[in-house]
Amino acid sequence: MKYLMSDQTLFRDRDVFEADYHPEQFNYREAQLREMAFAVRPALVGSRPHNVILKGLPGTGKTTSAHHIFSEIRETTQRIVPVYVNGQNDHTRFMVFTRIYEAVFGHLPPTTGISLRRRLNEIGKSLRDRGKVLLVCLDDANYLLHEGVLNDTVFSILRLYEEFPGVRSGVILTVSNIETDFRKELDACVISTMQPTEIYFPPYSSDEVKTILQERIQQGVYPGVIPGIVFDLIVERALLAGDLRVGLDLVRRAVDNAEQQARKTVEPGDVLSAHEISRNIHLTNSVKVLNPEEKKMLRSMAEYSMQEECIMCSGDVFAMVREETPMCYTTFFERLKKFDEMQLITIRSSRGTGNTREISLRYEADRVKEECGG
Ligand SMILES: Nc1ncnc2c1ncn2[C@@H]1O[C@H](COP(=O)(O)OP(=O)(O)OP(=O)(O)O)[C@@H](O)[C@H]1O
Ligand SMILES: [Mg+2]
């Protein structure tokens, strides 16, 4: 008996449901793509591009749009060096410049003994000597807000021309937290250099969500595998979550469930059990990028919130967290802000006096605990 190859698959192409898949059919973002192209266009002739901020709720197509524009750049010109940086993975200035180095030179920099300064110099010289325009997309830029990382990174990118006259550079920042206002978060001198244009990505309408999911299903799953009633349930859950990604993940997991039970069609029960995992996909992905100390703090907060019935007060949380791991209030508050930016918690100013904040988790405490591990 062979185990690996024994099952028939219901997927035509399973990859189309993966998080890093770039869809061929990409509709409803015409206006945003046009605006982005307008911002990038000056770079085609060696001038400085306009800087843009792509803002919209999770799953509204910001990352996909950035990839779309970047692949068009690669097809059209050698003049621009497009650099894509995932802020969730590369969250220090050094890491961002490592990515930039890789794009400029076509290989990673030596891993030891190379300072940021030297890396910056090599990048600046190469761009100047080859007359290239640097365009960096800092995706999920809000992950870099802590400890002034975003500020310093954007500053270093946009001020390259000071040390290397003639070098032109621009940034595309994306953010899914609507409340984040980079104009307030970044220093005035960075904002005045940046002069960003904000491009808004509105949530998809229910008809748009339906069509996108339908197209993806046609591409990725054999006909008849997902009956109409099951499709409606998937759409309903995706709309409820307000995130297309939940819908795509639901399809993949529900079809997996049906496959596992050797059925040829997906049943509502497959979707419902898949939903238990899919609805927390944002939580799972976010926790993955936290460092061990941050995970530990979030886990403690989850445990604490179980006693406090949802709303916690910042002073009490600090006292509790500090008992487990000694830290100063600044570190504690930086981490809180990071969790807030990552939409894992909500922070509100308390009605009481002083700087007290009310904190609540955005996910069920036991799920948060589980994701953060022991
Ligand atoms: N217009 C569209 N057509 C087809 N697929 C889309 C469209 N918009 C988004 N998607 C799909 O939805 C998923 C989420 O899109 P994307 O990653 O671009 O969202 P995002 O705005 O960057 O979200 P986040 O803020 O959470 O990073 C991806 O799998 C993408 O392929
Ligand atoms: Mg994104």
Side-chain angles (χ1 to χ4, degrees):
M1 164 94 184
K2 287 225 172 20
Y3 291 94
L4 270 178
M5 308 300 285
S6 67
D7 291 330
Q8 273 203 330
T9 179
L10 304 177
F11 288 105
R12 231 201 268 264
D13 182 358
R14 201 170 184 283
D15 282 352
V16 307
F17 301 105
E18 292 298 334
D20 59 357
Y21 176 73
H22 302 155
E24 281 152 33
Q25 278 165 308
F26 186 54
N27 301 315
Y28 317 119
R29 286 302 175 234
E30 187 72 13
Q32 288 77 6
L33 289 169
R34 270 182 203 284
E35 270 197 80
M36 289 170 74
F38 176 80
V40 169
R41 213 165 286 140
L44 291 175
V45 291
S47 300
R48 192 170 55 79
H50 301 285
N51 301 301
V52 290
I53 297 171
L54 315 183
K55 197 180 229 186
L57 289 171
T60 49
K62 302 177 297 295
T63 300
T64 311
S65 298
H67 282 303
H68 210 83
I69 289 290
F70 271 17
S71 58
E72 210 178 307
I73 289 174
R74 286 192 196 96
E75 283 166 19
T76 316
T77 180
Q78 299 272 325
R79 188 112 204 214
I80 304 174
V81 182
V83 187
Y84 173 82
V85 179
N86 181 339
Q88 298 192 35
N89 299 330
D90 296 317
H91 45 78
T92 65
R93 186 159 57 139
F94 193 79
M95 287 167 161
V96 173
F97 273 91
T98 302
R99 290 276 158 251
I100 297 176
Y101 185 104
E102 189 183 12
V104 170
F105 293 100
H107 58 84
L108 280 168
T111 45
T112 52
I114 297 281
S115 66
L116 176 66
R117 175 106 301 274
R118 210 167 128 196
R119 203 158 279 188
L120 263 161
N121 277 342
E122 289 176 16
I123 291 168
K125 267 190 221 142
S126 172
L127 292 170
R128 183 193 57 200
D129 296 347
R130 290 152 62 212
K132 302 253 185 184
V133 181
L134 177 67
L135 180 63
V136 184
C137 171
L138 297 173
D139 199 9
D140 293 318
N142 46 325
Y143 281 61
L144 305 179
L145 275 176
H146 60 97
E147 291 156 25
V149 172
L150 184 65
N151 200 67
D152 297 347
T153 306
V154 172
F155 189 82
S156 301
I157 294 171
L158 298 184
R159 294 291 188 105
L160 271 172
Y161 71 88
E162 284 186 342
E163 274 185 73
F164 304 95
V167 167
R168 302 283 175 256
S169 50
V171 292
I172 297 173
L173 309 185
T174 84
V175 59
S176 59
N177 189 346
I178 300 294
E179 281 134 44
T180 304
D181 185 354
F182 288 130
R183 282 168 222 274
K184 285 194 192 134
E185 300 283 349
L186 302 177
D187 289 350
C189 66
V190 173
I191 285 296
S192 78
T193 309
M194 197 179 163
Q195 301 277 345
T197 308
E198 204 165 283
I199 303 178
Y200 180 59
F201 285 64
Y204 292 116
S205 69
S206 58
D207 280 346
E208 287 168 349
V209 168
K210 235 184 216 174
T211 312
I212 293 170
L213 288 175
Q214 217 153 27
E215 282 168 358
R216 203 68 73 90
I217 287 171
Q218 268 169 13
Q219 220 182 325
V221 179
Y222 285 111
V225 168
I226 300 183
I229 185 172
V230 175
F231 177 69
D232 292 344
L233 183 60
I234 293 172
V235 172
E236 179 202 301
R237 296 296 157 125
L239 287 170
L240 200 68
D243 187 345
L244 196 49
R245 208 177 281 116
V246 171
L248 293 164
D249 198 62
L250 259 183
V251 175
R252 182 172 61 86
R253 290 184 195 276
V255 174
D256 269 343
N257 287 347
E259 246 184 36
Q260 212 169 14
Q261 294 175 42
R263 276 188 269 106
K264 287 210 165 73
T265 52
V266 177
E267 294 176 359
D270 296 323
V271 178
L272 296 177
S273 60
H275 188 245
E276 283 306 303
I277 301 172
S278 300
R279 72 198 171 100
N280 289 310
I281 182 176
H282 174 74
L283 171 68
T284 312
N285 291 340
S286 307
V287 168
K288 242 185 241 161
V289 300
L290 296 179
N291 68 36
E293 286 301 314
E294 291 163 344
K295 274 189 202 163
K296 191 171 165 200
M297 173 163 149
L298 187 62
R299 187 191 153 90
S300 306
M301 287 172 61
E303 280 167 354
Y304 188 61
S305 81
M306 287 165 157
Q307 306 158 18
E308 293 300 301
E309 291 173 0
C310 299
I311 298 203
M312 302 172 277
C313 155
S314 55
D316 296 345
V317 175
F318 178 52
M320 180 274 302
V321 164
R322 195 173 46 173
E323 231 167 75
E324 294 199 350
T325 315
M327 70 176 83
C328 63
Y329 192 80
T330 314
T331 306
F332 166 75
F333 200 65
E334 279 289 341
R335 286 192 190 157
L336 272 193
K337 265 177 40 193
K338 182 168 178 182
F339 297 157
D340 184 31
E341 275 303 329
M342 293 169 81
Q343 301 182 55
L344 292 167
I345 64 168
T346 310
I347 307 179
R348 271 187 226 96
S349 293
S350 168
R351 283 177 296 277
T353 50
N355 287 331
T356 299
R357 313 286 163 93
E358 289 177 350
I359 301 165
S360 49
L361 296 178
R362 292 207 188 199
Y363 292 88
E364 291 154 27
D366 49 358
R367 283 303 314 228
V368 175
K369 236 181 98 176
E370 205 176 298
E371 292 292 344
C372 291

